[in-house]
Amino acid sequence: MGKTVGIDLGTTNSVVAVMEGGEPVVISTAEGSRTCPSVVAFKQNGERLVGVTAKRQSVVNPDNTIYSIKRFMGHTLNEVSSEQGRISYKLKAGKNGQACAFVPALDKELSPEEVSAMILQKLKNDAEAYLGETVDQAVITVPAYFNDAQRTATKNAGEIAGLKVLRIINEPTAASLAYGLDKKSNETILVFDLGGGTFDVSVLDVGEGVFEVRSTSGDSHLGGDDFDNKIVDWLVQEFKKDQGVDLLKDRAAVQRLREASERAKIELSSQMSTQVNLPYITAVDNEPKHLDLSLTRAKFEELTSDLMERVKKPFFQAIEDAKMQAGEIDEVIMVGGSTRMPQVQELVKQLTNKEPNRSVNPDEVVAIGAAIQAGILGGEVKNIVLLDVTPLSLGVETQGGIFDKLIDRNTTIPTKKSRIYTTASDNQPEVEINVLQGERPKAHDNKSLGRFHLAGIPPAPARVPQIEVTFDIDANGILNVSAQEKGTGTKQSITITGSGNLNRDEIERMVKEAEMNAELDKQFQELAELKNKSDQLAYQTEKTLKDAGEKIDEATRQDATEKIESLRKAVTTGEASEIQSAFSILEQASHSIAEKLYAANDAESAKAAQPEGEEVIDAEFNEEK
């Protein structure tokens, strides 16, 4: 068996690391760099370039140079079409509408998995050259808010590259391993991870070798690329104002603008202003045009102020979900190259009132953590336990269109939970299990991950069969749902695959709508619960009348039946107040029926206890005597 490595498959750069002598070591690329640009390019003859060589020729070959592919992982073309104008290569729809990169040199589309596999293959080859042995297994990191489709795509990319992916772990979790390997004390850590294309905030409890994630939140479409794009847009706007030419229509110009913007962003992290100088950026009527603009740090911070506001929300969400205050955080660690920006560091200080820990290179920390996790799985690293979480709540649809949560968001995984459900009508032969993910109480406001039927339920009155539904999430976040009818043992199950899971935009929409519609959701939930309670009372009262037989006189039976019908009518067509009124009336009638049944039972018991042929002696008279 070959060696196992840890890989940070990044939007801008990727890194590979390995455990050597009990310590994680970052492996340099064949070109001598500790990071590998996540760029793939093709020459006109079809030759493939990966890493720094691909990035170096991007300006002269923009159409055949693919970068930032991680942003399109697990997405359809419709979901990412708005980004087409800011990249030099074309996006086209692949299988199932998947966003793919079109390569003219090959005259075909490449899926994000295929492009990512080329980057992973490069890292694998460089690692094998360094180690002198085969590398066939890996732990690969993903943003904490990557959904199942994106995680599955990442795992597939690893397999295409010839790697057995032992584990997919969250980037902030991996970073905490790198920072916390030698920690002895119990601490609460906040991981602030702003990379090239994604942003995550995670809160972890670390102590005595246990790393437990308490909460995670983020934005899988916020990163250094977006800060670069703000500069690109400003340069385009200023050039158009001065020269009347739209540079976004020139693919080669777009690539040069992107590279210049990235350099300007980096330079502004250490100086107060920078000069963006791009000679011969384009030509009009064979007359060359040059771009020469000065950008100050203040202007850059003004341009990116809306992005900084977007950073705040996941931070506060993670703190709230961890059920703590920002002041309770013991340590803040920064991950990702974008955290080098002064405004980001200043914002983190303001939010946490702490100086961030920068003892590990933010570009390498995730890969180091992945290598440590690989060491844990391989038995090289002892006495460390890693406990991750699931980012959204999971459950099933129940009667009345209610989302019944079995597993709450930020629950530690792996996890397993079961709950008993029943049928809604008499002699119901089967039930449909609708597996949902989200945060809204109304079932159709959440994402349906899959449906399956449990048939073969024996004929029985409503609410008698017992159906046990079990949710089981493994360490990779893969969900299995099963349902079993307890009487007969009949069982069905489903494994939720990537195609059915949420993308980041849907997650954000659900959380946002949950906040905006909290009061409406509460009202709906109360109404649905009232309707369910009313149905149950009507059914129970009807059953009581049926079982009581002649013990209930006809007038009482007729009165109760009319009240049952009134309640059912109110449930179908009425408002909450009408249902509550009809419920109270039937409840009162039901209590009256119960009292009569108890009285009738007492009379029967007394009669049964009386000896034949003897008269009943009055108790008081007997005592006096």
Side-chain angles (χ1 to χ4, degrees), residues 583-605:
F583 178 88
S584 299
I585 291 170
L586 179 58
E587 188 177 41
Q588 191 174 357
S590 177
H591 292 168
S592 177
I593 291 169
E595 288 173 2
K596 289 183 178 182
L597 287 175
Y598 279 119
N601 287 335
D602 287 345
E604 284 184 1
S605 299

Side-chain angles (χ1 to χ4, degrees), residues 43 51 62 73 77 103 122 301 361 376 418 422 454 538 560:
K43 294 182 179 179
M73 193 82 86
L77 183 62
V103 182
K122 158 74 172 167
E301 292 180 358
N361 186 330
I376 294 170
S418 300
T422 187
L454 177 67

Side-chain angles (χ1 to χ4, degrees), residues 175 178-180 334-335 357-366 368:
Y179 275 99
M334 307 286 273
V335 181
N357 183 334
R358 301 190 195 91
S359 60
V360 181
N361 186 330
D363 292 325
E364 301 173 356
V365 62
V366 171
I368 289 172

Side-chain angles (χ1 to χ4, degrees), residues 349-424:
K349 286 182 195 175
Q350 290 175 10
L351 294 174
T352 63
N353 200 28
K354 282 190 172 53
E355 190 70 33
N357 183 334
R358 301 190 195 91
S359 60
V360 181
N361 186 330
D363 292 325
E364 301 173 356
V365 62
V366 171
I368 289 172
I372 294 170
Q373 174 66 8
I376 294 170
L377 296 175
E380 297 174 67
V381 179
K382 308 286 186 182
N383 304 320
I384 289 183
V385 179
L386 179 61
L387 303 173
D388 226 323
V389 297
T390 182
L392 279 176
S393 301
L394 295 156
V396 297
E397 180 179 356
T398 58
Q399 187 180 9
I402 292 177
F403 174 36
D404 187 39
K405 297 178 184 176
L406 269 79
I407 297 176
D408 289 323
R409 68 174 176 171
N410 288 319
T411 296
T412 301
I413 59 173
T415 187
K416 186 175 183 179
K417 190 166 184 183
S418 300
R419 189 168 293 167
I420 300 293
Y421 296 93
T422 187
T423 53

Side-chain angles (χ1 to χ4, degrees), residues 541 545 552-567 585-586 588-590 592-593 596:
T541 306
L545 290 173
I552 301 297
D553 61 86
E554 191 57 36
T556 301
R557 184 183 297 276
Q558 185 64 32
D559 178 64
T561 301
E562 289 175 1
K563 289 172 180 174
I564 289 171
E565 292 305 315
S566 296
L567 178 57
I585 291 170
L586 179 58
Q588 191 174 357
S590 177
S592 177
I593 291 169
K596 289 183 178 182

Side-chain angles (χ1 to χ4, degrees), residues 207-220:
E208 299 178 358
V210 177
F211 293 76
E212 181 174 5
V213 181
R214 289 178 61 173
S215 67
T216 188
S217 186
D219 187 333
S220 66

Side-chain angles (χ1 to χ4, degrees), residues 55 62 80 91 121 126 136 142 148 154-155 160 185 219 274 301 336 346 396 445-446 456 468 477 502 533 592:
K55 186 175 182 179
V80 299
L91 290 174
Q121 183 72 52
D126 289 347
D136 56 8
V142 294
D148 192 64
T154 304
K155 191 172 184 180
I160 293 169
S185 60
D219 187 333
T274 184
E301 292 180 358
E346 189 58 38
V396 297
D445 288 333
N446 297 287
E468 183 179 47
L502 292 167
K533 193 168 65 168
S592 177

